[in-house]
Amino acid sequence: MNAPPARTRIKICGLTREADVDAAVGAGADAIGFVLYPASPRAVSVERAAELAARLPPFVTPVLLFVNESVPATLDALARVAGAMAQFHGDERPEQCWEASGRGRHRYLRAARIPLGAAGASFDLVKYASDYSRATAILLDAHVEAYGGGGKAFDWSLLPPAVDAHLVLSGGLAPANVGDGIRQLRTRCRSLSVDVSSGVEAAKGLKDAMKIHAFVAAVRAADALS
């Protein structure tokens, strides 16, 4: 009997409007990301994140993105958005992530900032995943000057052939290339998810419902071929 096709879980990040939350949910997203980093053009307040997250149906997870936030502020935000996961996207060390998660009370993702170009081969993802072994998954993003991938894709082929962690591919994804990313990375980790922001936008912080649906369709097409 053939094994069922893998199912790649999908996170749509950087949402700021009710219509975009509804479009992402309607398309079949598994998680919705809210950026709580004031310097980001997609930033929302904790109050706004809680308001938008209240629209989510069962089994769709809100994810709160933090960049070098204090432990008390992180814990306060997580307490105010029911069922939320954290995503640490700054320079947080392993113990800081653990403390800011309430020592395991809240699940969290840890972003790995992978250098662009050939320099990506120098990033020791196996060690990074081991250092942050308490994280639910390691999110792979491109290393650009600002925090966040800046819509850039790093060279996926330079990642190690085997990483003992759940991975979330991010950085420069769009409907046109997400299938290739899934095919390249699915067998290299425990499980693979994908995370998109700029690749489904009409403008920064404003999502395009048609692009969201096209992105989800591209992921499901890649899953069907696995």
Side-chain angles (χ1 to χ4, degrees):
M1 183 175 179
N2 292 331
R7 183 181 185 280
T8 305
R9 287 169 174 78
I10 301 169
K11 173 173 169 273
I12 310 293
C13 195
L15 278 72
T16 63
R17 305 184 301 179
E18 288 83 356
D20 297 337
V21 170
D22 294 347
V25 169
D30 301 281
I32 304 297
F34 303 107
V35 177
L36 301 186
Y37 176 47
S40 169
R42 302 174 183 89
V44 295
S45 65
V46 177
E47 293 78 12
R48 181 61 172 155
E51 186 177 56
L52 292 170
R55 303 179 70 83
L56 299 179
F59 314 125
V60 177
T61 303
V63 181
L64 306 182
L65 188 155
F66 302 98
V67 175
N68 301 329
E69 186 55 89
S70 70
V71 168
T74 300
L75 290 172
D76 176 69
L78 289 167
R80 292 165 69 180
V81 181
M85 288 182 69
Q87 177 176 323
F88 297 114
H89 218 99
D91 305 306
E92 301 89 352
R93 297 186 302 276
E95 193 57 34
Q96 289 175 307
C97 293
W98 182 240
E99 292 296 331
S101 74
R103 301 187 67 81
R105 187 162 69 251
H106 303 278
R107 295 189 302 158
Y108 61 93
L109 309 174
R110 179 62 176 108
R113 304 171 71 199
I114 312 295
L116 295 171
S122 66
F123 190 93
D124 191 343
L125 183 57
V126 172
K127 181 180 185 302
Y128 193 90
S130 176
D131 290 345
Y132 290 93
S133 60
R134 286 166 165 165
T136 298
I138 303 299
L139 184 143
L140 311 176
D141 206 355
H143 190 164
V144 297
E145 184 175 345
Y147 293 103
K152 303 289 186 182
F154 59 91
D155 188 342
W156 307 321
S157 70
L158 298 178
L159 292 176
V163 182
D164 186 20
H166 300 286
L167 299 182
V168 182
L169 178 60
S170 185
L173 294 182
N177 68 357
V178 67
D180 186 39
I182 290 169
R183 285 186 288 273
Q184 286 199 42
L185 298 187
R186 188 193 297 289
T187 61
R188 302 189 189 198
C189 52
R190 291 188 203 169
S191 73
L192 182 67
S193 302
V194 293
D195 180 3
V196 65
S197 183
S198 61
V200 293
E201 285 184 332
K204 287 188 178 181
L206 305 178
K207 304 307 185 201
D208 182 310
M210 291 183 64
K211 289 181 179 180
I212 290 174
H213 280 266
F215 185 86
V216 172
V219 173
R220 295 296 164 243
D223 286 350
L225 294 173
S226 64

